[in-house]
Amino acid sequence: MIPAAGAGDCAPHWPRRLTVLGATGSVGRATLEVVAEDPGRFEIEALTAHRRAGELARLARRHRARLAVVADPAAYGELREALAGSGIEAAAGPRAVVEAAMRPSELVMAAIVGAAGLEPTLAAVRRGAVVGLANKECLVSAGELFVREVATHDAVLLPVDSEHNAVFQALAGNPRRHLERIVLTASGGPFRTASREEMARATPDRALAHPNWRMGAKITVDSATMMNKGLEIIEAHHLFGLDERAIEVVVHPQSVVHGLVVFTDGSVLAQLGPPDMRVPIAHVLAWPSRLATGVARLDLVALGRLDFEAPDPARFPALTLAREALRRGGGAPTVLNAVNEIAVEAFLAGRIGFLDIARTVEEALATPLAAVRPGTLEEVLRLDAEARTWTRRRLRLAGQHGSADRA
Ligand code: NAD
Ligand code: MG
């Protein structure tokens, strides 16, 4: 699904026109930091956010964007006011986010969190754009459909997720028939060495204290449950066309080796780098060229050692649940993702315990919802909505329409 190396006619010409979906988030801001290091190379077409209009307007002015969009219509007034006199267009609403993705930029950074990113990212795919994919939930929720659309519209999908970007780099143009399996590394998160009892008592603050990466709240909790790695197994399946059994997960607490490729002759190629998203982001922004970044360089001697261990399925059941959803296919991954999103929100709001997140996902996978086989985008979106409703009822959150958006 990802492009073969070489990339011929994809070679970038500068300046490159860029749209960032989810510009106020952790990946969005890191993207704009990389851009700011070499501003002559990029023109910003559009920046979007959920509802932080002031922050979005500041970014839009700083990067001379043509358009700024908030998904929440209630934030429109604030956005217009903050952009007054700048000449930057303002728009609001989920449809306006989709339209921003349709504007003629060469590269779209898809960095919205959650299934909310599915429609805008698909809109970029459907006009054959180069899409830097940070939003893993859209591949988990609608993987087969998404991959089909990429092929139909000759879009180019470049993985931003550090492990997948590492695998993409380590594949280094080798023919697929020489590929045996890949290895995704996982930091193990804040509970790598915690007991089940400690995990049962874990507060949001504790789950948000990631040892290596600074990321948005949702993915940080996903890292703590290791659902993040489960979602990444499904993401890798779609990106690299690999069977679930050919995707291995290894815990690597230093987060320096991001991904490895094992070839049929026993050779293993890995990509290493500091745990800083600006590295894979820069790779995607310039691909198939490279950009200079000011990211701190790896100091192997200072590091001294790299450790690897097997993940513990008893303390991190989310990994097994994601593998099961992938094996079952159909709507099972859609349900896994939707239920996880709502359960993570509920955990962050103090409504459920940490271990309830995976427990709720497990229960949902046993319901008839997980046996639905959606064939169209509309059916995926309907199943996603039904799974969210099921979860709110199950967790007695009825009437709550909170959002994991803290950005
Ligand atoms: P974040 O919470 O920091 O930012 C999310 C962005 O999405 C914000 O700009 C927010 O305004 C926007 N957003 C949220 N809900 C929205 C909605 N309903 N409609 C439109 N926009 C909405 O998240 P993040 O950590 O930057 O992660 C973004 C995506 O990248 C996630 O899918 C995550 O799994 C993936 N990812 C992140 C990292 C990382 O280091 N942060 C690494 C790998 C992959
Ligand atoms: Mg990752």
Side-chain angles (χ1 to χ4, degrees), residues 131-151:
V131 176
L133 191 73
N135 178 285
K136 64 194 84 182
E137 292 92 347
C138 67
L139 260 190
V140 173
S141 187
E144 275 146 39
L145 189 138
F146 195 95
V147 161
R148 237 181 5 246
E149 294 288 312
V150 170

Side-chain angles (χ1 to χ4, degrees), residues 136 161-164 228-229 232:
K136 64 194 84 182
D161 211 347
S162 54
E163 299 77 3
H164 306 71
N228 183 48
K229 216 48 54 179
E232 289 182 357

Side-chain angles (χ1 to χ4, degrees), residues 67-249:
L67 169 69
V69 182
V70 277
D72 182 353
Y76 184 47
E78 189 190 343
L79 180 65
R80 279 189 52 177
E81 214 166 284
L83 288 175
S86 68
I88 300 168
E89 278 176 69
R95 183 66 214 161
V97 177
V98 171
E99 282 162 10
M102 290 162 74
R103 301 261 290 224
S105 61
E106 295 146 82
L107 179 64
V108 175
M109 180 60 75
I112 292 175
V113 61
L118 176 57
E119 286 184 272
T121 308
L122 264 181
V125 162
R126 286 173 171 159
R127 65 174 178 80
V130 180
V131 176
L133 191 73
N135 178 285
K136 64 194 84 182
E137 292 92 347
C138 67
L139 260 190
V140 173
S141 187
E144 275 146 39
L145 189 138
F146 195 95
V147 161
R148 237 181 5 246
E149 294 288 312
V150 170
T152 305
H153 299 280
D154 270 338
V156 175
L157 215 50
L158 301 176
V160 174
D161 211 347
S162 54
E163 299 77 3
H164 306 71
N165 182 270
V167 168
F168 177 40
Q169 296 201 44
L171 279 169
N174 283 277
R176 299 302 302 271
R177 64 181 186 283
H178 297 161
L179 172 63
E180 191 173 273
R181 63 194 162 88
I182 62 172
V183 183
L184 308 177
T185 60
S187 67
F191 304 132
R192 181 173 63 86
T193 57
S195 65
R196 285 274 296 178
E197 292 67 35
E198 282 171 75
M199 289 160 94
R201 291 193 305 269
T203 59
D205 280 350
R206 185 81 176 79
L208 288 171
H210 197 284
N212 303 346
W213 298 93
R214 297 286 155 266
M215 312 180 284
K218 193 264 179 183
I219 183 176
T220 306
V221 175
D222 282 347
S223 300
T225 59
M226 288 192 78
M227 180 58 90
N228 183 48
K229 216 48 54 179
L231 301 177
E232 289 182 357
I233 292 171
I234 302 176
E235 181 185 14
H237 161 79
H238 293 298
L239 283 173
F240 306 113
L242 288 171
D243 188 87
E244 175 259 323
R245 285 163 301 186
I247 305 166
E248 194 182 326
V249 168

Side-chain angles (χ1 to χ4, degrees), residues 264-331:
T264 46
D265 60 3
S267 280
V268 181
L269 292 189
Q271 186 261 2
L272 284 72
D276 186 325
M277 283 306 289
R278 289 175 297 172
V279 176
I281 288 169
H283 178 251
V284 163
L285 289 180
W287 181 88
S289 183
R290 295 232 179 219
L291 285 172
T293 73
V295 169
R297 303 307 194 233
L298 260 193
D299 182 341
L300 289 174
V301 174
L303 255 168
R305 55 188 278 179
L306 297 173
D307 297 300
F308 300 94
E309 58 196 50
D312 175 1
R315 288 181 306 125
F316 299 101
L319 268 179
T320 313
L321 294 172
R323 284 196 186 277
E324 183 196 325
L326 175 55
R327 277 197 301 271
R328 285 170 62 182

